[in-house]
Amino acid sequence: MELYTYISLHSFVEGCMKPAGEPAFILQAENLLYTVAKEEYQYGLSLLRKAIGEYEVQKGIPKEESKQAIPFFREKRRMLIGPEMDLYKLSFYEDGTFLPGKVKDSGLPYLRLSLDYEQLAEHCLFENMFLIRCKYDEGQVLANFVTQMEREYDKFFFDEEHSGFTADSRFFSLLCNACLEVKNPACAPEKEWRLTVLRNPADAGYRYEDGQLRPFVPISLPLSVIRKVTLLDSETEELNFSALAGFMQQVGLSPERYLEGLLEQ
């Protein structure tokens, strides 16, 4: 199976490197809660909150003892309660014809990278990263959250001054899953996968762009995961296409093999 991701030509050139070891390319994973629309990650969290309520109804827990109103975020921070960790993600898609809005609207030359799923998943396993497939079935997600409450409900707590978890709680993981994995069923045609990492804010990088300070984490992937490189709108990007072929040759990616549209002589 192949997964597809999009990267600007500028970022690809800046990210490719040839260190002393294996050649690699660097992608910038962006903070999920800064990158996607607020409605997107709130959708999954709303299902988790609904699951808490449904579990309480099933167990006959009175409203005055309900935990459904537990805050999910730190005060004045776009950060989940729990460990001081941020969520960073790279997006991949099963459908190579799907074009994300940011690519359509950028006006800049972009590449579509076709990646080998098995090699990518193996790399993530060894590098303590997570490659997850987004979930779009609302009923199934809600049922799973309710089931999780059987094990987790008694392990999280809150009052007017404190929110927290017991030492053996997995509630923070449920919050992460709700933000990272769960998407509105209307987005199902995207067939999105996400490569994700958790990082302390002090370990992230920061760049100022378009009036916003944006946190990011560099992710190194081996060039061997690449199956194909496609320059979008290559017919109108003749000079960039030609230069890209030379650049790929320089970093060890045979353009005759990897660059779509280049006929082998």
Side-chain angles (χ1 to χ4, degrees):
M1 184 174 79
E2 290 185 355
L3 293 178
Y4 304 88
T5 192
Y6 295 85
I7 181 173
S8 71
L9 179 59
H10 175 263
S11 296
F12 182 72
V13 171
E14 290 291 312
C16 282
M17 62 178 192
K18 293 185 66 176
E22 289 293 320
F25 69 105
I26 307 297
L27 299 175
Q28 291 189 359
E30 298 181 310
N31 187 306
L32 174 83
L33 303 184
Y34 285 70
T35 305
V36 303
K38 189 175 183 179
E39 295 77 16
E40 180 176 326
Y41 64 78
Q42 288 286 7
Y43 171 78
L45 291 173
S46 71
L47 293 184
L48 180 58
R49 198 177 295 281
K50 184 176 180 181
I52 296 172
E54 289 195 7
Y55 176 81
E56 291 173 341
V57 170
Q58 291 177 10
K59 299 300 181 181
I61 297 172
K63 289 185 178 180
E64 60 270 20
E65 298 178 13
S66 173
K67 299 181 181 181
Q68 195 173 17
I70 182 173
F72 290 157
F73 292 93
R74 293 169 181 258
E75 187 175 4
K76 297 183 179 180
R77 293 285 300 276
R78 195 165 285 195
M79 175 184 284
L80 296 171
I81 58 171
E84 188 154 322
M85 302 291 279
D86 281 325
L87 311 175
Y88 292 85
K89 63 95 178 177
L90 293 170
S91 292
F92 302 88
Y93 305 93
E94 286 185 36
D95 185 355
T97 65
F98 173 75
L99 201 62
K102 71 171 186 178
V103 178
K104 294 179 183 177
D105 302 334
S106 71
L108 300 173
Y110 258 79
L111 303 177
R112 180 177 64 240
L113 304 182
S114 307
L115 307 179
D116 184 284
Y117 165 76
E118 286 76 15
Q119 291 193 42
L120 181 62
E122 183 178 4
H123 178 75
C124 290
L125 182 64
F126 284 112
E127 295 297 326
N128 197 29
M129 300 185 292
F130 306 95
L131 186 61
I132 59 175
R133 186 179 188 178
C134 291
K135 297 178 174 64
Y136 302 94
D137 188 322
E138 181 174 307
Q140 188 177 68
V141 169
L142 184 59
N144 180 61
F145 281 157
V146 173
T147 300
Q148 294 292 323
M149 287 300 108
E150 289 284 351
R151 294 188 289 270
E152 300 304 318
Y153 186 82
D154 294 330
K155 299 177 183 178
F156 65 91
F157 56 88
F158 82 106
D159 55 33
E160 291 183 357
E161 297 182 356
H162 303 94
S163 299
F165 321 124
T166 62
D168 60 344
S169 175
R170 293 184 60 255
F171 194 71
F172 178 70
S173 295
L174 287 178
L175 292 174
C176 292
N177 291 344
C179 292
L180 284 166
E181 295 185 1
V182 182
K183 297 193 67 175
N184 193 299
C187 300
E190 297 176 4
K191 298 181 180 179
E192 183 180 357
W193 291 64
R194 287 172 171 172
L195 188 159
T196 66
V197 295
L198 276 69
R199 290 288 186 273
N200 186 285
D203 297 327
Y206 293 85
R207 67 178 186 271
Y208 189 77
E209 182 178 278
D210 298 329
Q212 184 177 346
L213 186 60
R214 300 176 182 269
F216 70 92
V217 169
I219 300 293
S220 177
L221 298 178
L223 291 180
S224 60
V225 304
I226 297 177
R227 284 188 174 180
K228 185 71 67 177
V229 177
T230 304
L231 177 63
L232 303 182
D233 300 321
S234 59
E235 292 184 1
T236 59
E237 294 284 352
E238 181 181 351
L239 293 180
N240 278 329
F241 185 88
S242 179
L244 176 61
F247 175 76
M248 289 173 61
Q249 189 171 6
Q250 182 193 65
V251 298
L253 283 172
S254 169
E256 289 79 16
R257 176 181 176 185
Y258 292 100
L259 183 56
E260 185 171 341
L262 186 66
L263 299 177
E264 188 169 357
Q265 301 299 318

